[in-house]
Protein backbone atom coordinates (compact mmCIF):
# COMPACT_ATOMS: atom_id res chain seq x y z
CA UNK A 1 0.00 0.00 0.00
CA UNK A 2 1.29 3.46 -0.83
CA UNK A 3 1.44 6.49 1.43
CA UNK A 4 -1.85 7.97 2.60
CA UNK A 5 -2.75 11.49 3.61
CA UNK A 6 -3.31 11.87 7.32
CA UNK A 7 -4.76 14.81 9.26
CA UNK A 8 -2.74 15.25 12.45
CA UNK A 9 -3.01 17.67 15.38
CA UNK A 10 0.63 18.39 16.07
CA UNK A 11 1.79 20.25 19.16
CA UNK A 12 4.78 22.51 18.39
CA UNK A 13 5.00 24.18 21.79
CA UNK A 14 2.84 25.76 24.49
CA UNK A 15 -0.56 26.66 22.97
CA UNK A 16 0.79 26.02 19.49
CA UNK A 17 -1.27 23.12 18.17
CA UNK A 18 -1.35 22.89 14.38
CA UNK A 19 -3.65 20.81 12.19
CA UNK A 20 -1.39 19.39 9.54
CA UNK A 21 -1.93 17.15 6.53
CA UNK A 22 0.99 14.80 6.38
CA UNK A 23 1.68 11.47 4.75
CA UNK A 24 1.56 8.26 6.73
CA UNK A 25 3.44 5.19 5.60
CA UNK A 26 1.87 1.76 5.24
CA UNK A 27 1.87 -0.23 8.50
CA UNK A 28 5.19 -1.96 9.19
CA UNK A 29 5.39 -5.71 9.73
CA UNK A 30 3.44 -6.59 12.87
CA UNK A 31 1.48 -3.34 12.77
CA UNK A 32 -2.04 -2.35 11.79
CA UNK A 33 -3.20 1.00 10.52
CA UNK A 34 -6.16 2.26 12.54
CA UNK A 35 -8.58 5.01 11.54
CA UNK A 36 -9.10 6.80 14.85
CA UNK A 37 -12.77 7.19 15.81
CA UNK A 38 -12.50 8.63 19.32
CA UNK A 39 -9.73 9.95 21.56
CA UNK A 40 -10.43 11.08 25.12
CA UNK A 41 -8.40 14.04 26.35
CA UNK A 42 -7.04 14.07 29.88
CA UNK A 43 -4.92 16.13 32.25
CA UNK A 44 -1.60 15.10 30.76
CA UNK A 45 -2.69 16.17 27.25
CA UNK A 46 -3.85 19.47 28.73
CA UNK A 47 -0.52 19.98 30.51
CA UNK A 48 1.37 19.49 27.25
CA UNK A 49 -1.03 21.87 25.49
CA UNK A 50 -0.72 24.64 28.07
CA UNK A 51 2.97 24.38 28.97
CA UNK A 52 4.59 22.43 26.13
CA UNK A 53 5.63 19.96 28.81
CA UNK A 54 4.17 17.53 31.32
CA UNK A 55 6.15 17.69 34.53
CA UNK A 56 9.74 16.86 33.66
CA UNK A 57 8.89 15.68 30.13
CA UNK A 58 9.54 18.60 27.81
CA UNK A 59 8.54 18.73 24.16
CA UNK A 60 11.74 18.87 22.10
CA UNK A 61 10.20 18.34 18.66
CA UNK A 62 6.57 18.54 17.45
CA UNK A 63 4.36 15.68 18.67
CA UNK A 64 0.74 14.48 18.38
CA UNK A 65 -1.12 14.25 21.68
CA UNK A 66 -3.79 11.70 22.62
CA UNK A 67 -3.50 8.24 24.20
CA UNK A 68 -7.07 7.23 25.12
CA UNK A 69 -8.31 5.94 21.81
CA UNK A 70 -10.17 3.47 19.65
CA UNK A 71 -10.81 3.02 15.96
CA UNK A 72 -11.19 0.64 13.05
CA UNK A 73 -8.44 -1.21 11.22
CA UNK A 74 -7.92 0.03 7.67
CA UNK A 75 -4.75 -1.85 6.71
CA UNK A 76 -2.48 -4.53 8.12
CA UNK A 77 1.27 -5.00 7.87
CA UNK A 78 3.22 -8.04 6.85
CA UNK A 79 2.94 -11.08 9.08
CA UNK A 80 -0.30 -10.02 10.78
CA UNK A 81 -2.70 -12.94 10.79
CA UNK A 82 -5.01 -12.49 13.76
CA UNK A 83 -6.33 -9.02 12.89
CA UNK A 84 -8.10 -7.92 9.75
CA UNK A 85 -9.33 -4.80 7.99
CA UNK A 86 -12.68 -3.66 9.36
CA UNK A 87 -12.12 -4.88 12.93
CA UNK A 88 -12.85 -2.39 15.71
CA UNK A 89 -10.11 -2.03 18.29
CA UNK A 90 -9.04 -0.20 21.43
CA UNK A 91 -5.45 1.04 21.24
CA UNK A 92 -3.24 0.34 24.23
CA UNK A 93 -0.93 3.33 24.03
CA UNK A 94 2.12 2.02 25.85
CA UNK A 95 4.44 -0.25 23.91
CA UNK A 96 6.77 -2.06 26.31
CA UNK A 97 9.88 -4.09 25.56
CA UNK A 98 8.44 -7.46 26.58
CA UNK A 99 11.88 -8.80 27.43
CA UNK A 100 12.89 -7.20 30.73
CA UNK A 101 12.23 -8.68 34.15
CA UNK A 102 9.34 -6.28 34.85
CA UNK A 103 7.66 -7.09 31.54
CA UNK A 104 8.13 -10.81 32.10
CA UNK A 105 6.64 -10.68 35.59
CA UNK A 106 3.45 -8.94 34.49
CA UNK A 107 4.41 -5.43 35.55
CA UNK A 108 5.06 -4.04 32.10
CA UNK A 109 3.70 -0.63 33.15
CA UNK A 110 7.02 -0.16 34.96
CA UNK A 111 9.16 -1.15 31.95
CA UNK A 112 11.96 1.40 31.63
CA UNK A 113 11.95 0.97 27.84
CA UNK A 114 8.23 1.83 27.54
CA UNK A 115 7.30 3.98 24.56
CA UNK A 116 3.97 5.60 25.31
CA UNK A 117 1.96 7.44 22.66
CA UNK A 118 1.79 11.20 23.30
CA UNK A 119 4.58 11.17 25.87
CA UNK A 120 7.71 13.26 25.44
CA UNK A 121 9.55 11.00 27.88
CA UNK A 122 11.26 9.17 25.05
CA UNK A 123 13.12 10.75 22.14
CA UNK A 124 12.22 10.75 19.33
CA UNK A 125 8.80 11.35 20.87
CA UNK A 126 6.02 8.87 20.25
CA UNK A 127 3.06 10.39 18.41
CA UNK A 128 -0.39 9.98 19.92
CA UNK A 129 -3.79 9.39 18.36
CA UNK A 130 -5.01 12.93 17.67
CA UNK A 131 -4.74 12.18 13.98
CA UNK A 132 -6.99 10.44 11.50
CA UNK A 133 -4.70 7.40 11.07
CA UNK A 134 -2.23 5.69 13.39
CA UNK A 135 0.10 2.74 12.82
CA UNK A 136 0.37 0.60 15.96
CA UNK A 137 1.69 -2.88 16.81
CA UNK A 138 -1.17 -5.39 16.80
CA UNK A 139 0.18 -6.84 20.04
CA UNK A 140 -1.12 -3.62 21.63
CA UNK A 141 -4.56 -3.61 20.00
CA UNK A 142 -7.63 -5.13 21.64
CA UNK A 143 -10.73 -6.18 19.71
CA UNK A 144 -13.99 -4.65 20.87
CA UNK A 145 -17.05 -6.64 21.92
CA UNK A 146 -19.98 -5.77 19.61
CA UNK A 147 -21.76 -3.87 22.37
CA UNK A 148 -18.74 -1.67 23.09
CA UNK A 149 -18.83 1.74 21.42
CA UNK A 150 -15.70 3.56 20.26
CA UNK A 151 -16.19 6.07 23.09
CA UNK A 152 -16.42 3.30 25.69
CA UNK A 153 -13.31 1.74 24.16
CA UNK A 154 -11.49 5.08 24.45
CA UNK A 155 -12.56 5.22 28.11
CA UNK A 156 -10.79 1.89 28.66
CA UNK A 157 -7.48 3.76 29.00
CA UNK A 158 -8.40 5.86 32.07
CA UNK A 159 -10.57 2.96 33.27
CA UNK A 160 -7.46 0.78 33.15
CA UNK A 161 -5.71 3.08 35.60
CA UNK A 162 -8.48 2.67 38.19
CA UNK A 163 -8.85 -1.04 37.46
CA UNK A 164 -5.14 -1.43 38.16
CA UNK A 165 -5.66 0.60 41.36
CA UNK A 166 -8.59 -1.61 42.38
CA UNK A 167 -6.43 -4.69 41.86
CA UNK A 168 -3.57 -3.19 43.85
CA UNK A 169 -6.03 -2.46 46.70
CA UNK A 170 -7.84 -5.82 46.35
CA UNK A 171 -11.27 -4.22 46.32
CA UNK A 172 -13.77 -6.95 47.11
CA UNK A 173 -17.51 -7.47 47.39
CA UNK A 174 -19.15 -5.75 50.34
CA UNK A 175 -16.34 -3.28 50.89
CA UNK A 176 -16.64 0.42 51.54
CA UNK A 177 -14.80 2.77 49.20
CA UNK A 178 -14.12 6.49 49.41
CA UNK A 179 -13.08 8.35 46.27
CA UNK A 180 -11.49 11.78 46.59
CA UNK A 181 -12.05 13.78 43.41
CA UNK A 182 -15.18 13.72 41.24
CA UNK A 183 -13.52 14.18 37.87
CA UNK A 184 -13.58 11.54 35.14
CA UNK A 185 -10.97 9.37 36.88
CA UNK A 186 -12.80 9.58 40.20
CA UNK A 187 -16.06 8.56 38.59
CA UNK A 188 -14.41 5.67 36.78
CA UNK A 189 -12.89 4.63 40.12
CA UNK A 190 -16.39 4.58 41.63
CA UNK A 191 -17.72 2.56 38.68
CA UNK A 192 -14.94 -0.01 39.02
CA UNK A 193 -15.40 -0.22 42.80
CA UNK A 194 -19.09 -0.90 42.23
CA UNK A 195 -18.31 -3.49 39.54
CA UNK A 196 -16.10 -5.22 42.14
CA UNK A 197 -19.05 -5.35 44.54
CA UNK A 198 -18.32 -2.37 46.77
CA UNK A 199 -21.58 -1.51 48.50
CA UNK A 200 -20.91 1.86 50.11
CA UNK A 201 -19.21 4.27 47.73
CA UNK A 202 -18.71 7.90 48.70
CA UNK A 203 -17.30 10.70 46.58
CA UNK A 204 -15.80 13.98 47.79
CA UNK A 205 -14.98 17.10 45.79
CA UNK A 206 -15.02 20.87 46.16
CA UNK A 207 -17.10 21.16 42.99
CA UNK A 208 -20.80 20.78 43.81
CA UNK A 209 -21.84 20.20 40.19
CA UNK A 210 -19.43 17.25 39.86
CA UNK A 211 -20.51 15.68 43.16
CA UNK A 212 -24.15 16.05 42.14
CA UNK A 213 -23.40 14.42 38.77
CA UNK A 214 -21.64 11.50 40.49
CA UNK A 215 -24.58 10.83 42.80
CA UNK A 216 -27.42 11.58 40.35
CA UNK A 217 -25.92 9.35 37.67
CA UNK A 218 -25.47 6.49 40.11
CA UNK A 219 -21.68 6.44 40.33
CA UNK A 220 -21.62 7.02 44.11
CA UNK A 221 -24.09 6.10 46.86
CA UNK A 222 -23.48 9.51 48.44
CA UNK A 223 -21.33 12.58 48.01
CA UNK A 224 -19.83 15.33 50.12
CA UNK A 225 -19.09 18.82 48.82
CA UNK A 226 -15.95 19.94 50.58
CA UNK A 227 -16.12 23.58 51.73
CA UNK A 228 -13.52 25.75 50.00
CA UNK A 229 -11.11 27.08 52.58
CA UNK A 230 -8.05 29.32 52.31
CA UNK A 231 -4.75 27.54 51.82
CA UNK A 232 -3.21 26.73 55.24
CA UNK A 233 -0.23 28.94 56.01
CA UNK A 234 2.01 26.28 57.46
CA UNK A 235 2.56 22.61 56.82
CA UNK A 236 1.42 21.80 60.39
CA UNK A 237 -1.79 23.80 59.91
CA UNK A 238 -2.37 21.93 56.65
CA UNK A 239 -2.02 18.57 58.36
CA UNK A 240 -4.46 19.64 61.09
CA UNK A 241 -6.97 20.87 58.48
CA UNK A 242 -6.69 17.58 56.60
CA UNK A 243 -7.34 15.61 59.78
CA UNK A 244 -10.40 17.76 60.52
CA UNK A 245 -11.67 17.26 56.96
CA UNK A 246 -11.24 13.50 57.34
CA UNK A 247 -13.24 13.72 60.58
CA UNK A 248 -16.06 15.55 58.79
CA UNK A 249 -16.13 12.96 56.00
CA UNK A 250 -16.22 10.06 58.46
CA UNK A 251 -18.87 11.66 60.69
CA UNK A 252 -21.16 12.49 57.81
CA UNK A 253 -20.52 9.73 55.33
CA UNK A 254 -18.38 7.04 56.94
CA UNK A 255 -19.45 3.40 57.01
CA UNK A 256 -21.45 2.38 60.09
CA UNK A 257 -19.68 0.21 62.66
CA UNK A 258 -16.27 0.98 61.23
CA UNK A 259 -13.46 3.41 61.91
CA UNK A 260 -13.10 4.26 58.26
CA UNK A 261 -13.24 3.05 54.68
CA UNK A 262 -11.78 -0.25 53.52
CA UNK A 263 -10.23 1.47 50.50
CA UNK A 264 -9.62 5.15 49.76
CA UNK A 265 -8.88 6.08 46.16
CA UNK A 266 -7.17 9.47 46.04
CA UNK A 267 -7.76 10.98 42.60
CA UNK A 268 -7.00 14.68 43.17
CA UNK A 269 -3.26 14.79 43.75
CA UNK A 270 -3.88 17.71 46.13
CA UNK A 271 -1.70 17.52 49.24
CA UNK A 272 -4.46 18.05 51.83
CA UNK A 273 -6.58 15.37 50.14
CA UNK A 274 -3.62 12.97 50.13
CA UNK A 275 -3.29 13.63 53.86
CA UNK A 276 -7.03 13.29 54.54
CA UNK A 277 -7.05 10.01 52.59
CA UNK A 278 -4.82 8.38 55.22
CA UNK A 279 -7.10 9.44 58.08
CA UNK A 280 -10.25 8.24 56.33
CA UNK A 281 -8.96 4.68 55.80
CA UNK A 282 -9.91 2.18 58.50
CA UNK A 283 -7.21 0.41 60.53
CA UNK A 284 -5.84 -2.23 58.16
CA UNK A 285 -7.33 -0.37 55.20
CA UNK A 286 -5.67 0.81 52.02
CA UNK A 287 -5.04 4.12 50.31
CA UNK A 288 -4.30 4.19 46.59
CA UNK A 289 -2.69 7.35 45.25
CA UNK A 290 -3.99 7.82 41.70
CA UNK A 291 -3.95 11.60 41.36
CA UNK A 292 -0.62 13.20 40.56
CA UNK A 293 0.41 16.80 40.90
CA UNK A 294 2.17 17.02 44.27
CA UNK A 295 5.60 15.47 43.74
CA UNK A 296 6.69 16.05 47.35
CA UNK A 297 3.79 15.77 49.78
CA UNK A 298 4.01 15.85 53.57
CA UNK A 299 2.05 12.82 54.74
CA UNK A 300 1.01 11.75 58.27
CA UNK A 301 2.99 8.51 58.09
CA UNK A 302 2.41 7.50 61.71
CA UNK A 303 -1.37 7.67 61.16
CA UNK A 304 -0.79 5.09 58.44
CA UNK A 305 1.98 2.99 60.01
CA UNK A 306 0.46 2.66 63.51
CA UNK A 307 -2.85 1.54 62.03
CA UNK A 308 -1.34 -0.64 59.29
CA UNK A 309 -2.94 1.40 56.54
CA UNK A 310 -1.20 0.38 53.31
CA UNK A 311 -0.19 3.25 51.03
CA UNK A 312 -0.13 2.18 47.40
CA UNK A 313 1.15 3.94 44.32
CA UNK A 314 -0.29 3.47 40.88
CA UNK A 315 1.48 4.05 37.58
CA UNK A 316 -0.74 3.48 34.56
CA UNK A 317 -1.74 -0.21 34.28
CA UNK A 318 -0.82 -3.68 33.11
CA UNK A 319 -2.97 -6.45 31.65
CA UNK A 320 -6.16 -4.47 32.18
CA UNK A 321 -7.50 -4.00 28.66
CA UNK A 322 -9.07 -7.47 28.22
CA UNK A 323 -10.82 -7.25 31.60
CA UNK A 324 -11.92 -3.67 31.09
CA UNK A 325 -13.40 -4.50 27.69
CA UNK A 326 -15.07 -7.58 29.16
CA UNK A 327 -16.60 -5.39 31.88
CA UNK A 328 -18.01 -3.11 29.20
CA UNK A 329 -19.16 -6.05 27.11
CA UNK A 330 -20.94 -7.71 30.03
CA UNK A 331 -22.81 -4.57 31.07
CA UNK A 332 -21.13 -4.41 34.48
CA UNK A 333 -20.29 -0.75 33.97
CA UNK A 334 -23.80 0.60 33.40
CA UNK A 335 -24.02 4.23 32.42
CA UNK A 336 -20.28 4.83 32.32
CA UNK A 337 -20.54 6.37 28.86
CA UNK A 338 -22.54 9.21 30.43
CA UNK A 339 -19.13 10.50 31.45
CA UNK A 340 -18.63 11.67 27.90
CA UNK A 341 -20.21 15.10 28.06
CA UNK A 342 -18.43 16.87 25.22
CA UNK A 343 -17.41 15.99 21.67
CA UNK A 344 -15.35 17.76 19.01
CA UNK A 345 -14.33 16.72 15.50
CA UNK A 346 -10.57 16.48 14.96
CA UNK A 347 -10.77 19.58 12.75
CA UNK A 348 -11.78 21.60 15.85
CA UNK A 349 -9.11 20.21 18.16
CA UNK A 350 -7.94 23.69 19.19
CA UNK A 351 -11.46 24.55 20.35
CA UNK A 352 -11.53 21.26 22.20
CA UNK A 353 -8.41 22.12 24.19
CA UNK A 354 -9.65 25.64 24.94
CA UNK A 355 -12.94 24.18 26.23
CA UNK A 356 -11.03 21.67 28.35
CA UNK A 357 -8.92 24.49 29.73
CA UNK A 358 -12.07 26.47 30.61
CA UNK A 359 -13.71 23.37 32.11
CA UNK A 360 -16.90 24.27 30.24
CA UNK A 361 -18.16 24.14 26.69
CA UNK A 362 -19.28 27.31 24.87
CA UNK A 363 -22.82 26.90 26.23
CA UNK A 364 -21.47 26.84 29.79
CA UNK A 365 -22.02 23.11 30.32
CA UNK A 366 -19.67 21.23 32.64
CA UNK A 367 -17.09 19.04 30.90
CA UNK A 368 -16.59 15.66 32.53
CA UNK A 369 -14.91 13.78 29.67
CA UNK A 370 -14.15 15.34 26.33
CA UNK A 371 -13.68 13.27 23.19
CA UNK A 372 -12.10 14.31 19.90
CA UNK A 373 -12.72 12.18 16.89
CA UNK A 374 -14.81 11.31 13.91
CA UNK A 375 -17.85 13.44 14.81
ZN1 LIG B 1 -4.91 10.09 29.97
ZN1 LIG C 1 10.27 -4.24 29.56
Amino acid sequence: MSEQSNLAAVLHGAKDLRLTKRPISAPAPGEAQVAIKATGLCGSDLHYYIHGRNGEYVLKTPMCLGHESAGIITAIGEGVTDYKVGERVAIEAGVYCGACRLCKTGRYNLCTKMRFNSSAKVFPHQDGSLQSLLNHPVTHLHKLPDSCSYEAAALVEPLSVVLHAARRAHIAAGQTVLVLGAGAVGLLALAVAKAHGATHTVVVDINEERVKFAVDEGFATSGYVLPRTPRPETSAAGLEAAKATAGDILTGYGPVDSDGFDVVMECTGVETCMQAAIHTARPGGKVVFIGMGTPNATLPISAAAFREVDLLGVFRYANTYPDALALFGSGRLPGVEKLVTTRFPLEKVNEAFEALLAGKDKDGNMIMKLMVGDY
Side-chain angles (χ1 to χ4, degrees):
M1 204 180 84
S2 59
E3 283 189 343
Q4 290 229 349
S5 180
N6 178 31
L7 184 65
V10 187
L11 188 71
H12 286 250
K15 291 251 195 163
D16 183 5
L17 183 63
R18 303 180 200 169
L19 266 173
T20 315
K21 279 242 177 203
R22 60 183 194 183
I24 181 170
S25 57
E31 287 185 346
Q33 189 162 88
V34 181
I36 304 296
K37 295 291 185 181
T39 297
L41 298 190
C42 79
S44 74
D45 297 306
L46 188 59
H47 271 281
Y48 277 116
Y49 175 75
I50 300 170
H51 308 291
R53 63 188 296 160
N54 184 25
E56 60 187 285
Y57 306 134
V58 183
L59 201 70
K60 296 191 193 83
T61 52
M63 177 180 81
C64 284
L65 297 173
H67 52 269
E68 307 177 355
S69 53
I72 184 164
I73 295 178
T74 53
I76 51 168
E78 212 183 291
V80 174
T81 53
D82 42 358
Y83 284 80
K84 53 181 191 288
V85 170
E87 277 181 323
R88 304 181 324 125
V89 289
I91 299 166
E92 185 168 350
V95 178
Y96 45 86
C97 84
C100 72
R101 186 184 162 132
L102 288 160
C103 282
K104 283 184 168 170
T105 53
R107 303 189 77 173
Y108 65 73
N109 55 318
L110 305 177
C111 174
T112 55
K113 297 197 182 81
M114 173 79 82
R115 294 183 59 79
F116 197 88
N117 290 355
S118 80
S119 168
K121 184 179 178 184
V122 291
F123 191 84
H125 304 326
Q126 186 90 343
D127 276 331
S129 60
L130 283 178
Q131 40 186 338
S132 47
L133 295 168
L134 179 77
N135 290 332
H136 202 69
V138 292
T139 46
H140 293 67
L141 297 177
H142 303 271
K143 296 178 191 183
L144 306 189
D146 288 342
S147 60
C148 185
S149 68
Y150 290 117
E151 288 185 351
L155 283 175
V156 165
E157 204 277 342
L159 185 79
S160 282
V161 176
V162 293
L163 186 57
H164 183 60
R167 288 178 181 171
R168 298 261 292 144
H170 298 291
I171 294 183
Q175 284 197 328
T176 59
V177 176
L178 173 67
V179 172
L180 299 174
V185 171
L187 267 61
L188 289 169
L190 289 158
V192 163
K194 213 167 137 183
H196 280 71
T199 44
H200 180 86
T201 53
V202 178
V203 66
V204 173
D205 200 290
I206 50 171
N207 184 316
E208 186 174 358
E209 199 178 4
R210 288 181 185 275
V211 171
K212 189 173 174 340
F213 183 94
V215 177
D216 288 354
E217 299 295 345
F219 287 90
T221 48
S222 57
Y224 174 51
V225 182
L226 210 60
R228 287 174 194 263
T229 50
R231 209 187 166 87
E233 284 182 12
T234 63
S235 175
L239 281 164
E240 275 310 306
K243 196 173 179 182
T245 296
D248 292 343
I249 294 170
L250 289 176
T251 307
Y253 302 88
V256 277
D257 302 330
S258 174
D259 296 340
F261 290 85
D262 293 311
V263 176
V264 181
M265 302 174 94
E266 205 304 301
C267 302
T268 70
V270 174
E271 189 174 31
T272 48
C273 292
M274 296 169 77
Q275 296 162 343
I278 292 175
H279 294 293
T280 47
R282 69 163 168 81
K286 296 177 197 301
V287 176
V288 209
F289 293 108
I290 300 169
M292 298 181 189
T294 308
N296 296 300
T298 300
L299 297 180
I301 288 301
S302 53
F306 296 161
R307 300 186 306 126
E308 295 193 0
V309 171
D310 294 339
L311 307 184
L312 301 163
V314 164
F315 182 69
R316 295 188 186 136
Y317 42 80
N319 300 306
T320 47
Y321 266 70
D323 285 6
L325 285 168
L327 279 176
F328 269 116
S330 67
R332 280 174 66 203
L333 294 169
V336 161
E337 285 160 278
K338 287 183 199 155
L339 273 184
V340 182
T341 50
T342 320
R343 296 165 178 87
F344 283 91
L346 180 59
E347 291 75 11
K348 293 191 174 171
V349 68
N350 268 290
E351 280 176 52
F353 273 100
E354 285 303 315
L356 195 63
L357 183 54
K360 293 197 178 297
D361 69 13
K362 62 180 188 318
D363 301 320
N365 299 311
M366 170 190 74
I367 295 176
M368 188 57 84
K369 191 73 192 177
L370 184 153
M371 294 266 168
V372 173
D374 189 10
Y375 296 112

